[in-house]
Amino acid sequence: MFSFTRRQLAMIVSLAVIIVVALYFTAHVPIEAADHGDAPIASLDRSADLNDVYALLDPNDNTRVFLAMTSQGFIVPAEAVNFGIFDPSITYRFELEMTGDATPDKFIDIRFSAKTQSPTQAQIATVILPDGRTFTAPNTIPSLAATAPPRVITTHQASGVQFFSGLVDDAFLFDIPGVNRFIASVRAGAPNASFLNRGRDTFAGYNTLAIALSLPIALLQPTANSEIGVNAVTIRNVALRRPTRFQRGASKTLTTQVDRAANPTVNVVLVPFPRKNEHNISTTMDDAAGRFTDSIVATLTALGTRLENINTLAQIAVVRGDFLRLKFDIRNEGPGGGNNPGAGFPNGRRPGDDVVDTLLTVITNGAITTDNANTNDVPFINTFPFFGLPHQPRDTGMDDQTRN
Ligand SMILES: [Ca+2]
Ligand SMILES: [Ca+2]
Ligand SMILES: [Ca+2]
Ligand SMILES: [Ca+2]
């Protein structure tokens, strides 16, 4: 369990006063997904909408760290070719925190070339590593065949970094309607856990776009705590085609952060609706400065979460910024990206970690331990990039596996 400094404790106590006021204004908080469509702007800017972030030690070689982000959820298999496209105007960025505070220290940037008319031509990713070295790598071209295309994995020999990009089964699993109805019953003062008996994974049968890297830990040169924090960000680059005289001398490309994601469900569950857009364009430094603390504490208090558990969540996602933090001295073992107890979320996150169950348990003070959507619809892979193969179009009469 985490412990607080006197200063942090004083902050929490003062926030308790704010809560009393804020409770009067707490709006209904819709629960949607890990980060899929978490805010109005992100929902409308699909290619920049991040879903989930993963960080783990490769269970086959704990000297390597695996990082992944997914975007554009709910891609149906029959539209894999039309929608499984990385946006060439987006910078997909991993912010890496190395010193134990809320300020990112290193970055990995990925940009893609435009999708061409040729169905056999890959999009080419340009990967800029933390030390500035750059390499290019083709994506795995999506297909409508009955079986998934072979994965294209690129190894940058000089750094030892591996890279994959392409469609994968969405590893996130969650009964959205079930939990939504349960939360509504809690807010109405009549908690009804039977809403969680559906056992339906809303994400079953759908694909998402993944960007994944495997890096030697030595490349990241971690310092204190032998730990890394990971935050994924999408940045839209807008070319100024007709610069006015007022913009002369300025950059001809405007950049704007569209989405960010680190720990699952932070914006979706904890940030109230009127502030979700603001949260997505804010930074981990804003988190640590307390910009959203009152809103998050108010949400948790309205859900009946004990102060002790609020403190736990604050330590994970607020006090040092919302970074998914992975310790390098906790061994990760097992199939599918690892499954040994104690090595997964909130220590990083593995594809098979049932993060919803972990968070439900903390938020409900142990009263509810599962949403009963607990098994992914396809098996994970035992080697990089670990995600299940994408769903392909089904033959006549075959269940498409969706569970809406
Ligand atoms: Ca999102
Ligand atoms: Ca730092
Ligand atoms: Ca899945
Ligand atoms: Ca679950």
Side-chain angles (χ1 to χ4, degrees), residues 5 160 176 252 306 333 349 392:
T5 65
I176 294 177
K252 290 185 177 166
R306 284 199 298 256
E333 301 170 341
R349 178 179 174 185
Q392 299 297 124

Side-chain angles (χ1 to χ4, degrees), residues 239-262:
L240 294 177
R241 292 183 184 156
R242 297 178 59 196
T244 70
R245 65 189 179 89
F246 300 109
Q247 293 162 330
R248 192 170 297 149
S251 166
K252 290 185 177 166
T253 302
L254 287 177
T255 61
T256 179
Q257 179 174 318
V258 181
D259 199 2
R260 64 168 168 147

